[in-house]
Amino acid sequence: MPLLSRPLYRWPALIGLWGLAVAVAWITTVQVFLLAMNPFCHLQRPGLSRLEVVSVDRNADSQITDFVTAKRGEETRVLTLSKAEAAELREHDEVWILDAWYADSLRPTQFLLTPQRILLEYPILLLLPVALGLWRVRKARQAAEAEPPPPVRRTFTDDFHLRAQRFSKPAAGDDPGAKAPPSDEPGPTPPDSGA
């Protein structure tokens, strides 16, 4: 019996999965709200790239972001990373960069690639494991609520009685060569001659 078919484990799993779905909906709602309220915001194509750091430059106009110049092959890009992430980088470091799906002048436009950052920037990806988990819980519940299979019925034969029937004397009507037992009933009386 699967673990999720027991209500003791099924209900906490359901609560956790629905809680995660609500958290994803909340983060997505906040992101859309910030996007709608910011007039300087614009959508951009999300992306993932491996770049070599050329230089890290301070952004005097922002207390949140710094500029990082990086190149891939011959192409040079200027990235807007958070100050904490930019401080970790050194010249000639090779890093994976995640491009955000929207850009504005307040927040970083690119991030260092980490699982936490992927989930914060693209929380909708979490709905795939949530859907898979809900499907597994549903299947486990259906298996638990299904009627149990009928019990296996075994027929025991009594070998002693079968053997006794085989070796018993046959009845008169069963064997064609057997004599009929004498009858106690009187037979027909012969007719009287009248003498």
Side-chain angles (χ1 to χ4, degrees):
M1 187 158 131
L3 191 67
L4 287 175
S5 62
R6 299 178 185 162
L8 179 66
Y9 297 107
R10 188 170 59 233
W11 284 108
L14 277 174
I15 291 170
L17 289 169
W18 281 111
L20 187 58
V22 168
V24 167
W26 174 253
I27 292 172
T28 306
T29 303
V30 168
Q31 286 180 343
V32 169
F33 176 75
L34 291 175
L35 184 66
M37 295 302 292
N38 189 348
F40 304 108
C41 190
H42 63 276
L43 296 175
Q44 68 176 11
R45 185 176 58 157
L48 185 66
S49 55
R50 185 170 177 81
L51 303 173
E52 180 184 351
V53 176
V54 175
S55 66
V56 178
D57 304 314
R58 287 186 46 82
N59 183 359
D61 297 333
S62 174
Q63 296 185 2
I64 299 172
T65 61
D66 277 338
F67 297 120
V68 175
T69 306
K71 69 177 182 177
R72 184 167 125 193
E74 298 300 319
E75 177 191 357
T76 302
R77 290 177 58 189
V78 177
L79 311 173
T80 307
L81 270 72
S82 68
K83 288 188 179 290
E85 290 182 347
E88 295 175 9
L89 300 178
R90 301 289 174 258
E91 193 175 339
H92 302 297
D93 283 351
E94 287 197 7
V95 293
W96 283 96
I97 298 294
L98 175 70
D99 291 323
W101 59 278
Y102 71 96
D104 61 8
S105 58
L106 302 175
R107 70 187 296 270
T109 308
Q110 287 84 20
F111 301 95
L112 294 178
L113 181 65
T114 60
Q116 177 185 3
R117 182 53 65 183
I118 290 174
L119 295 180
L120 287 174
E121 288 301 310
Y122 303 101
I124 212 85
L125 295 176
L126 276 176
L127 292 182
L128 294 174
V130 166
L132 178 65
L134 289 174
W135 179 77
R136 295 274 314 258
V137 168
R138 181 174 164 257
K139 287 291 184 188
R141 186 195 60 164
Q142 286 176 347
E145 291 176 355
E147 290 185 19
V152 177
R153 300 189 75 175
R154 295 186 178 159
T155 305
F156 295 101
T157 57
D158 188 355
D159 288 343
F160 175 77
H161 288 94
L162 288 176
R163 208 174 300 128
Q165 285 177 358
R166 192 170 48 212
F167 292 112
S168 68
K169 290 185 178 180
D174 294 343
D175 192 10
K179 285 180 146 182
S183 176
D184 293 343
E185 294 179 9
T189 58
D192 230 357
S193 58

